[in-house]
Amino acid sequence: MDLSKAYDCLPHDLLIAKFEAYGIDKTGLNLLLDYLSNRKQRTKINSSYSDWYDIIRGVPQGSILGPLLFNLYVNDLFLFVERTQICNFADDNTIYSCDNNLNTILQDLQHDMKVLLNWFKINSMKPNPKKFQFMILGKAKREPILLKINLIEIKESSTVVLLGLTIDSCLTFKNHIDILCRNANYKLHALRRIRKYLSPGKAKILYNAFINSQFSYASIIWMFCRKTDYLKMEKVQYKGLKIVYNSNESYENLLLLSNEVSIHQKHLRQLATEVYKSLTNVSPEFIQPFFTIKDIPYNLRNRHILKLPRARSTFHGTNSVQFRACLMWNRLPLSLKESRSVLEFKKNMKRIINIDCSCMICG
């Protein structure tokens, strides 16, 4: 559920009232009010200026306090969601529901959408229905569903874009990878044109910053996609390394030359790091229950064995991140698992050329 100009809509009087309700004392309230007050703005068109007007809404964007003030302002939103779950990132609010009955899901979504729309109205937030997205996960063939809430109509989509990640209804992530590869190829063309003016070191810095980095964004979510889609990404990396080093050597030789590994191996390293952070209580609390040490009554040489979640088939869990992560972790050497910090873990992991993995991509 998208909001329009969310950071600019917050009324200062209501923001201060919420802070008072949270228990901030008078001195703190006066300090915050002083921070927000006496700000003015005007408009310039060509050489003409409008009058100055006081800013009575919004928090300063680009400031350190701005996002914090906004998060505190919308904090009570979560108290009103009753039938669904909500994921919130700044002004991006996504509600979701799980059930075996589709009608139950639709009723729950409609109920809480009304609740949220009412909350937005009361709190002077402006929803943008044109950017609302609605998707049902699954392979069932049926006519697209139309959600109707008040005067708002939202048609079911086969894909949605959430925080820069393109999610399809079957969770193949093919669309997302196609977009990544297409964007990367555009940038590779630009890099090829300027490559003759750059040293290999500078070319590699540009390649890693603008091209290679996008394959690491949220990769844990989509890393166990189809092998054909991974081959597309590896092909892009091969093209990039050929441009950087101005060489037509094999992909394997260029990886050695650049001290790099394949994209899938990078993703496996990221996943192993997340498991380590979870087991050492460094990761967010909601991730930690995904990985639990198996309770073994007798002493083993490798005592950091994770409990595998139940899974019967690819459709029923064997290709899930949780299952694959536990399987991969159990194959890692004990010396790596016993690293004393995240930094040491990452450093030790670089000594492993390839992490042992049994997924379809590695097979």
Side-chain angles (χ1 to χ4, degrees):
M1 301 179 70
D2 192 70
L3 296 172
S4 295
K5 299 184 180 298
Y7 280 71
D8 297 328
C9 293
L10 279 60
H12 294 168
D13 54 351
L14 183 54
L15 180 62
I16 296 300
K18 290 193 177 192
F19 289 159
E20 186 177 12
Y22 286 136
I24 297 179
D25 61 21
K26 190 174 181 180
T27 304
L29 294 175
N30 289 333
L31 180 63
L32 289 168
L33 185 59
D34 182 68
Y35 173 73
L36 296 169
S37 302
N38 299 320
R39 296 178 182 268
K40 297 178 182 293
Q41 64 183 5
R42 65 176 178 176
T43 302
K44 176 185 177 184
I45 301 177
N46 296 326
S47 59
S48 300
Y49 292 87
S50 69
D51 294 332
W52 286 102
Y53 287 93
D54 291 326
I55 299 176
I56 59 173
R57 291 173 176 269
V59 293
Q61 295 195 40
S63 64
I64 295 174
L65 272 181
L68 177 61
L69 296 178
F70 181 84
N71 285 338
L72 288 169
Y73 184 84
V74 300
N75 188 58
D76 61 293
L77 169 67
F78 305 96
L79 302 176
F80 296 90
V81 178
E82 299 173 347
R83 300 185 185 180
T84 63
Q85 301 294 320
I86 183 169
C87 291
N88 168 270
F89 185 83
D91 60 338
D92 193 302
N93 302 284
T94 301
I95 58 172
Y96 66 94
S97 178
C98 304
D99 198 275
N100 291 325
N101 189 307
L102 182 57
N103 288 328
T104 302
I105 290 176
L106 296 176
Q107 290 171 10
D108 291 344
L109 289 174
Q110 287 178 316
H111 176 273
D112 280 353
M113 278 192 69
K114 288 180 180 178
V115 170
L116 289 182
L117 288 171
N118 186 53
W119 188 93
F120 293 149
K121 182 179 179 181
I122 294 172
N123 288 269
S124 301
M125 307 295 286
K126 186 180 179 183
N128 187 359
K130 291 182 179 179
K131 292 188 177 181
F132 281 16
Q133 300 178 98
F134 161 54
M135 182 175 69
I136 297 175
L137 297 177
K139 297 183 178 180
K141 294 182 179 180
R142 47 176 171 67
E143 290 296 319
I145 295 172
L146 189 68
L147 270 185
K148 295 183 179 181
I149 299 93
N150 300 334
L151 298 177
I152 298 175
E153 293 185 350
I154 315 167
K155 189 176 181 180
E156 179 188 355
S157 302
S158 57
T159 61
V160 299
V161 179
L162 183 62
L163 300 176
L165 183 68
T166 303
I167 305 172
D168 59 277
S169 58
C170 294
L171 297 180
T172 64
F173 296 101
K174 180 182 183 304
N175 300 74
H176 181 68
I177 294 169
D178 286 344
I179 292 171
L180 289 180
C181 292
R182 184 166 62 248
N183 292 338
N185 279 317
Y186 289 149
K187 294 174 182 178
L188 282 177
H189 291 318
L191 181 60
R192 183 182 285 112
R193 289 196 297 269
I194 64 172
R195 173 61 184 86
K196 59 184 178 181
Y197 304 109
L198 304 170
S199 66
K202 291 181 179 179
K204 187 180 179 184
I205 289 173
L206 286 175
Y207 169 72
N208 285 333
F210 294 100
I211 300 167
N212 199 24
S213 60
Q214 63 187 11
F215 292 118
S216 298
Y217 176 70
S219 61
I220 291 175
I221 297 173
W222 52 267
M223 63 180 290
F224 292 110
C225 58
R226 295 183 297 187
K227 187 173 183 178
T228 53
D229 293 322
Y230 250 109
L231 292 177
K232 294 178 187 176
M233 294 186 286
E234 301 291 358
K235 186 177 179 180
V236 170
Q237 176 160 270
Y238 182 32
K239 288 167 62 177
L241 293 177
K242 287 200 294 184
I243 293 171
V244 168
Y245 293 100
N246 197 21
S247 170
N248 286 318
E249 290 195 49
S250 68
Y251 185 33
E252 290 73 18
N253 287 341
L254 286 174
L255 287 175
L256 290 173
L257 177 63
S258 62
N259 196 27
E260 293 278 355
V261 294
S262 68
I263 290 177
H264 184 53
Q265 281 295 317
K266 287 180 186 175
H267 292 168
L268 289 174
R269 290 181 178 187
Q270 289 177 324
L271 183 59
T273 303
E274 288 303 319
V275 176
Y276 176 84
K277 288 162 66 176
S278 174
L279 295 176
T280 53
N281 300 322
V282 177
S283 62
E285 289 184 5
F286 73 91
I287 293 179
Q288 294 174 20
F290 289 0
F291 310 111
T292 55
I293 298 293
K294 189 174 182 180
D295 186 17
I296 302 176
Y298 42 87
N299 189 25
L300 289 178
R301 182 180 301 174
N302 193 345
R303 50 193 174 275
H304 298 279
I305 299 294
L306 291 182
K307 183 179 180 182
L308 286 176
R310 288 187 177 182
R312 300 193 306 273
S313 64
T314 302
F315 186 76
H316 292 98
T318 59
N319 213 32
S320 67
V321 172
Q322 184 183 12
F323 183 86
R324 286 293 164 193
C326 293
L327 209 59
M328 175 203 63
W329 178 266
N330 291 344
R331 298 183 177 199
L332 292 177
L334 179 61
S335 58
L336 179 60
K337 298 177 183 178
E338 291 184 338
S339 300
R340 292 169 294 183
S341 67
V342 176
L343 186 63
E344 183 180 315
F345 181 86
K346 290 181 179 180
K347 188 181 295 185
N348 292 337
M349 192 160 45
K350 288 182 179 179
R351 298 171 185 167
I352 302 174
I353 298 176
N354 284 319
I355 293 178
D356 188 12
C357 178
S358 61
C359 70
M360 293 184 292
I361 298 163
C362 298

